[in-house]
Amino acid sequence: MTTEYIHGGPRALITGIGSHFAEHRGADGLWHAAMKEGAYAAAPPPWSKPALLSSVVDEALADAGFPPSQARFDAGVSVLLCAQAAVGSTSLSPFLHGTDTEALTTRVGLAPVTVLSHACATGGFAIRLAVQMLLTGQRDVVVVAGASVPDSMEQISLEAVGVLSRSTVRPLDTERDGMAIGRGALALVLERADDAARRMVTGAIRVAAAACLVKPSRTESDPQAVGAVLRAALGPATGPDGSHIDAICAHATGTVLGDAVELDELALLGAERGWTEVPVFSHKGALGHLLHTSALAAVAHAVEAMRRSVVPGTPGCRTPIAEATGVRVATKSLQRPLGRVLVNAFGFGGNYAAVLLEK
């Protein structure tokens, strides 16, 4: 039996970004790392997931303007951790894998941690939950975080299903042959718009909608599920903004089937809504696929693109796969104001998410 959960998301703001990619740190570091083809292949220093997570959570809170001396918010801060589901008992499993009983040290004290696991769409599910927690008053600030430090088991698992590239990762390219596992950590700070306004936050980006769908499938990418979650995020094609979109940050990992299904569904959506050459881009030819953390990297990359008024190119893509009139693959960066950007995240096991950002 197929079970589907689709939720349109109400509005909250992304006010801070923390990131760590080898020598690149912060929102600016993420931007530059995401533009460098093959950056995923650089040998990283020895990394610990707990240390990375603490670092990027603190960095994101600082970027959002919360002072180090502030001990705790009135309603507290929560951390939603994007990670694997429980896979046995280790000393780190309570923190990384399955419970909300551990505490993460942050600039605002000890924050309760809740772990979400929806494969490579986890970040989208976490953002949807964060918005819900904010608008129901459960928390004043929610930090969504994740770290990708691949181990041998993840490498072997992905090799076994035949999705790893044998050469260079080329998202949305005719010569694509698979993905590469990325290394790094991301954190996003979300808060209610009225709270951010009282703090006089500038440069925040609105989460206009977030749609999540679970539809178990035997295929890597189910076209019906992809189309359904995209339409749920965009809402009805009516009103002044119902059909308008300025760019799309695709999931596009570089796999043969997944990239084709995603672009086909975007083309169908564009035909329905009258789009004309809406640019589609992907950062995974630079950062690789960050697995459970990948959606956070995509959202952060899109946020920076909106702040900079730049449509990023797609590192690794030289000859784009066939396109329709409504969408086109952006191979090079283009200076352009971005008011609304759609971010896609799809995962094995039938997990699908899409987040709509507004400036």
Side-chain angles (χ1 to χ4, degrees), residues 8 15 45 87 98 120 130 135 138 165 180 194 196 199 209 222 240 258 280 301 310 312 348 356:
T15 57
V87 289
C120 306
L135 297 186
Q138 297 177 55
S165 173
D194 53 352
R199 296 196 306 110
D222 184 309
V280 179
H301 189 41
V310 174
F348 284 127
L356 180 63

Side-chain angles (χ1 to χ4, degrees), residues 23-43:
E23 72 274 19
H24 297 287
R25 300 292 299 271
D28 190 61
L30 166 69
W31 178 258
H32 291 292
M35 307 294 251
K36 184 179 179 182
E37 181 178 334
Y40 58 82

